[in-house]
Amino acid sequence: MSTTESASHYDGLEQMPIRELLVNINKEDKTVPLAVEKAFPRIEALVKATAERLRNGGRLFYIGAGTSGRLGIVDASECPPTFGVPHGMVIGLIAGGDAAIRKAVEFAEDDPNQAWKDLQAHHITEKDIVVGIAASGRTPYVVGGLQTCRQHQIATGCIVCNADSAVAAAADYPVEVLTGPEFVTGSTRMKAGTAQKLVLNMLTTATMIQLGHVKGNKMVDMQLSNFKLVDRGTRMLMEELQLTRPEAAALLKKYGSVRAAIEAFRNGDAFLD
């Protein structure tokens, strides 16, 4: 039996006081970053492979089912506003299609051929990389997708939470984060899901830094899609260029991005009233 499906270290959960439930869930959650830390060498290899392909015009695809698929979609959807990259650079695919984002689609994850069909709809090529996300490491949708990608010389990676899995065997750059039994037996949306989210954060953040979308510690290419982000961009310019708020706001409005505003100002192309 996989460790993510093993019996919880706790029993009689329905009899625990609320505070005890919270303390024990948190106690288990504290083990997750330590498990991720043990996987750093594998995560580093996956980041390098991903950055290389994206730098050369490729794309990053995630394939997964259930919680794993949703986490991939969340990570992919946050890359354009955070780093200013095109929406098609990082793509999340979930077994059962978009309907499965909100509601489980029965048995969708059991078709080993569907992931490749979903990838073909995006005209996948050898320039791309596909990362399978599966806590169990045995989801047929993910296993079949990665195996077919390999047959077509497309690079593959994975994020799993069990050792020696079929998903990892199908990946060129496997990442195994061994989170152990869940607080509620088999509920991999808990520790396993947290581990996957942490690795996804590392993967795309480190990759985008490698691609130059962060300067210093600032998201200079972020999309100015709401008042909060406009305010953040204004403050970035105030700090970086020693401008007043009205000056920074005018500069940002004129050039539309933090990076463009900084470059124009430093090149002497920006004129402030």
Side-chain angles (χ1 to χ4, degrees), residues 210-258:
Q210 294 296 303
L211 297 179
H213 294 295
V214 173
K215 295 297 182 184
N217 57 18
K218 304 295 194 302
M219 298 181 288
V220 294
D221 291 331
M222 67 180 182
Q223 294 178 355
L224 305 175
S225 55
N226 57 51
F227 290 131
K228 178 190 73 175
L229 297 180
V230 171
D231 178 68
R232 181 186 296 163
T234 300
R235 287 185 282 108
M236 285 184 192
L237 294 180
M238 291 170 64
E239 178 181 336
E240 185 71 20
L241 303 176
Q242 300 300 300
L243 299 175
T244 65
R245 175 173 284 276
E247 289 173 336
L251 196 64
L252 187 61
K253 182 177 181 180
K254 179 177 181 180
Y255 290 96
S257 82
V258 174

Side-chain angles (χ1 to χ4, degrees), residues 87-110:
H87 281 276
M89 179 178 281
V90 185
I91 299 170
L93 301 175
I94 185 171
D98 287 353
I101 297 173
R102 292 182 179 273
K103 184 178 179 181
V105 177
E106 292 184 1
F107 304 107
E109 68 177 59
D110 296 326

Side-chain angles (χ1 to χ4, degrees), residues 5-40:
E5 295 292 331
S6 298
S8 171
H9 296 311
Y10 306 83
D11 203 355
L13 304 187
E14 73 278 11
Q15 298 172 4
M16 286 185 185
I18 292 174
R19 177 60 63 89
E20 188 176 352
L21 286 170
L22 302 180
V23 167
N24 288 332
I25 291 171
N26 190 52
K27 182 179 178 181
E28 288 299 306
D29 286 344
K30 288 178 181 177
T31 68
V32 176
L34 299 177
V36 172
E37 185 176 333
K38 294 178 181 178
F40 279 171

Side-chain angles (χ1 to χ4, degrees), residues 1-84:
M1 181 183 293
S2 62
T3 56
T4 55
E5 295 292 331
S6 298
S8 171
H9 296 311
Y10 306 83
D11 203 355
L13 304 187
E14 73 278 11
Q15 298 172 4
M16 286 185 185
I18 292 174
R19 177 60 63 89
E20 188 176 352
L21 286 170
L22 302 180
V23 167
N24 288 332
I25 291 171
N26 190 52
K27 182 179 178 181
E28 288 299 306
D29 286 344
K30 288 178 181 177
T31 68
V32 176
L34 299 177
V36 172
E37 185 176 333
K38 294 178 181 178
F40 279 171
R42 296 287 185 89
I43 299 171
E44 180 181 8
L46 180 57
V47 169
K48 287 180 178 178
T50 303
E52 178 183 357
R53 281 157 180 80
L54 267 58
R55 187 179 291 115
N56 291 313
R59 297 165 294 172
L60 166 61
F61 287 89
Y62 295 130
I63 56 173
T67 297
S68 297
R70 295 182 189 102
L71 287 169
I73 289 170
V74 167
D75 191 71
S77 68
E78 290 175 345
C79 286
T82 304
F83 302 109

